[in-house]
């Protein structure tokens, strides 16, 4: 089941609002643009992000 109600704008505040968050599972949030996920990974490098762009599943942690 996909969740199309979660948009990228809500992720931009995670580093400031959720500093202790270490894993974010957005596997079924298809409306989030990949550049927002990459930016979040750069701004919060200790955050593991599980995501699924429309063409593949992935999990990454940017260095």
């Amino acid at each position: 089941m996909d969740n199309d109600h979660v948009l990228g704008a809500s992720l931009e505040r995670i580093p400031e609002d959720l500093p202790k968050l270490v894993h974010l599972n957005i596997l079924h949030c298809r409306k989030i643009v990949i550049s927002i996920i990459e930016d979040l990974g750069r701004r919060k490098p200790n955050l593991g992000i599980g995501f699924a762009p429309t063409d593949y599943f992935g999990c990454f942690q940017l260095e």
Side-chain angles (χ1 to χ4, degrees):
M1 175 183 273
D2 294 329
N3 186 344
D4 291 337
H5 299 288
V6 177
L7 303 175
S10 60
L11 301 178
E12 293 176 348
R13 294 179 36 193
I14 286 178
E16 295 80 25
D17 292 351
L18 300 169
K20 294 183 180 181
L21 185 69
V22 294
H23 182 74
L24 178 65
N25 182 347
I26 49 175
L27 286 173
H28 300 285
C29 303
R30 299 179 317 150
K31 298 261 180 163
I32 299 173
V33 179
I34 191 73
S35 61
I36 292 175
I37 298 170
E38 292 171 342
D39 182 58
L40 176 60
R42 279 189 287 278
R43 292 176 50 224
K44 189 163 176 50
N46 66 326
L47 180 63
I49 303 172
F51 69 100
T54 55
D55 57 344
Y56 69 97
F57 286 92
C59 186
F60 74 96
Q61 187 164 356
L62 292 177
E63 309 233 356

